[in-house]
Amino acid sequence: MKKDFYLTRYALIIKKLEATPSTYSQIEEYLLNSFEFQDAGIKSYSMRTLQRDIREISDLFSLSIHNKKRRDNRYYIESRPIMEVDGYNQKLLESFQISNALNVYPDFADFIFFESRKATGIENFYDLFFAIRNKRILLFEHYNFKNKKMTSRKVHPLALKESKDRWYLIAVDTKDKLLKSFGLDRINYLTVGSQNFREKYEYNLRDHFKNAFGVMNLVEQNPQKIVLQCSRHQGEYIRSFPLHQSQKEIKETQEHIYFEFFLHPTYDFMQEILSYGKEAKVLEPETLIQQIKNNLSESLKAYTDQ
């Protein structure tokens, strides 16, 4: 068994057992018939390897795989972790699958094309993660796109948040004690202090992020019910790739599909809706409808004033 193939095995085993409980023979047949195993030229998969893979899957992805020995001898995933951890595990698994495929086949550049518009700042990711876990004070320079100025910051880091291929540091600014977000691609001259901050903040960031779309003002907005009417064409895309975890399909007609969300009506969410043009229309709340109308009026005015 190839040593660099283990992550692909893990992904395939999880995929199989999430679909249906399976015996060792069924798992073996599934793996050996997969394109991944055929491409790698792997012809066997032992019970011993399966048992080792199950232990390592449990350690790496917090998934408990058990065997119904007293009944039909099938393996099954006992439970999935909480939503936030599950999302992390899914991202991790996807990254491993892609990384493994690219490492095994170095000619991937001829037929796999990545998005070239990637934000920078990931080089500081582990330092920030370390500071958050150990409650270390952070010092850095942060560039503001709006006023085009670099300012010195001293913060208490609390979390990292991803939004549209960008990462943000969520931290309390010691200057005004406000919770803010800082784009990692705009952080310069980062220093992880040797001192710990002692403050115990009561922000429930898990609840905030649960109802978040993009980066938001964490202290002022409250989540609301949002109803969206989409053309059937656009609705099919949103149905297959939900905008948010709270998305529910509430109605369908010959011409439209209707969705309901429960989230913060942020600027990022408004921009997402505006990107669909006439294919999507907000039906409630009224405050968001008015914001979209104002935005469209200002956009039209920018063209008519030329």
Side-chain angles (χ1 to χ4, degrees), residues 130-146:
F130 174 86
I132 292 168
R133 287 189 298 112
N134 294 281
K135 293 189 175 182
R136 294 284 187 88
I137 296 172
L138 287 176
L139 302 169
F140 55 84
E141 300 286 314
H142 188 257
Y143 183 74
N144 188 304
F145 286 143
K146 190 173 183 179

Side-chain angles (χ1 to χ4, degrees), residues 179 181 208 215-222 264 266:
L179 189 64
S181 62
H208 278 296
V215 180
M216 59 186 178
N217 185 326
L218 289 167
V219 295
E220 292 184 0
Q221 290 187 303
N222 293 312
H264 300 264
T266 58

Side-chain angles (χ1 to χ4, degrees), residues 107-118:
D107 59 343
F108 69 86
D110 293 333
F111 38 79
I112 297 178
F113 303 96
F114 289 96
E115 175 62 64
S116 60
R117 295 173 59 231
K118 293 294 183 182

Side-chain angles (χ1 to χ4, degrees), residues 14 18 60-63 79-97 160 162 167 206 209-210 241 245:
I14 292 171
E18 283 189 323
L60 187 58
F61 298 107
S62 300
L63 288 175
S79 62
R80 294 290 276 167
I82 60 173
M83 175 200 61
E84 290 82 2
V85 176
D86 190 37
Y88 161 78
N89 286 331
Q90 188 62 37
K91 284 268 188 181
L92 186 63
L93 192 57
E94 289 170 1
S95 298
F96 282 162
Q97 286 178 282
L160 290 161
E162 183 193 18
W167 280 94
R206 179 172 292 172
F209 293 156
K210 176 182 175 182
F241 190 28
Q245 63 189 16

Side-chain angles (χ1 to χ4, degrees), residues 6 18 39 104 122 146 153 166 190 192 205 240 264 270 286 296:
Y6 63 98
E18 283 189 323
D39 243 359
V104 173
I122 299 301
K146 190 173 183 179
R153 305 287 182 149
R166 292 179 185 268
L190 176 70
V192 179
L205 295 179
S240 64
H264 300 264
M270 182 178 72
E286 186 61 37
L296 291 172

Side-chain angles (χ1 to χ4, degrees), residues 7-31:
L7 294 172
T8 298
R9 297 202 312 268
Y10 298 168
L12 288 170
I13 291 168
I14 292 171
K15 181 179 178 181
K16 174 64 174 173
L17 296 184
E18 283 189 323
T20 180
S22 305
T23 64
Y24 158 70
S25 296
Q26 291 170 330
I27 295 172
E28 179 191 34
E29 180 182 12
Y30 174 77
L31 295 178

